[in-house]
Amino acid sequence: MGYIGNLNLQNQGGNINVLNNGYVGNTNSNNRGGGTTNIQNNGTMSNLNSDTRVAHTNIANNGFINNLRALDQNDDTNIFNAGRVNNANLTANGARGLINFQNMGSVGNMNANSNYGGQININNMFGAIGQMNANTSGWSHGQQSRINILS
């Protein structure tokens, strides 16, 4: 089992793959310009901050994440949770901002914010969420902000 205290990922149009089977303290991922970042956690991550703009991010959690923050603007972030997330903060901005959250595990607290035409889809058919707050505001490029919850 490996240990990384702080992991900073900067992706500008490339491809980054992370597979954590141990412990990662703080992960900051900035994904831009058509890049693809894939993060799979089978261990423990203390803080995972993902910022995706005009790019693609995929996060799969089979372990434990204490704090998950995902911001997407102008492309897509896909999150699959089969483990445990204490706190999840999701923000989709702009007419092409999209976050898909598939939950088959457990989430303690979730905040979902869709702004300026962004969209968040949450599928909780086989999972558990202790508390959820959802907020939408604004339009952009003819798109209304949207949050879709299936439970």
Side-chain angles (χ1 to χ4, degrees):
M1 302 270 217
Y3 171 88
I4 300 174
N6 294 298
L7 177 61
N8 295 303
L9 308 172
Q10 303 293 326
N11 189 4
Q12 188 72 30
N15 191 345
I16 295 178
N17 298 297
V18 176
L19 174 60
N20 176 44
N21 291 314
Y23 175 84
V24 177
N26 298 305
T27 300
N28 294 300
S29 172
N30 291 297
N31 189 9
R32 307 276 191 278
T36 300
T37 297
N38 300 300
I39 299 171
Q40 182 173 337
N41 178 48
N42 298 322
T44 297
M45 298 182 97
S46 183
N47 298 298
L48 172 55
N49 297 303
S50 172
D51 189 342
T52 303
R53 297 172 196 242
V54 192
H56 308 281
T57 298
N58 301 300
I59 299 168
N61 179 46
N62 298 306
F64 174 75
I65 298 174
N66 189 40
N67 295 303
L68 169 64
R69 180 184 106 13
L71 172 107
D72 188 279
Q73 185 167 321
N74 213 27
D75 245 321
D76 61 79
T77 298
N78 299 297
I79 302 167
F80 174 79
N81 179 47
R84 168 84 179 145
V85 176
N86 267 354
N87 300 297
N89 291 295
L90 312 175
T91 303
N93 286 329
R96 292 191 178 125
L98 173 63
I99 296 177
N100 295 306
F101 193 101
Q102 173 77 33
N103 187 37
M104 296 180 72
S106 65
V107 177
N109 299 298
M110 177 181 282
N111 293 304
N113 297 293
S114 177
N115 306 304
Y116 306 108
Q119 180 173 332
I120 299 175
N121 300 314
I122 300 166
N123 184 338
N124 190 52
M125 284 291 294
F126 302 103
I129 298 174
Q131 178 175 328
M132 176 185 281
N133 300 307
N135 178 48
T136 62
S137 63
W139 290 66
S140 178
H141 296 89
Q143 294 291 324
Q144 186 178 24
S145 298
R146 301 161 315 277
I147 295 177
N148 302 305
I149 302 167
L150 176 62
S151 192

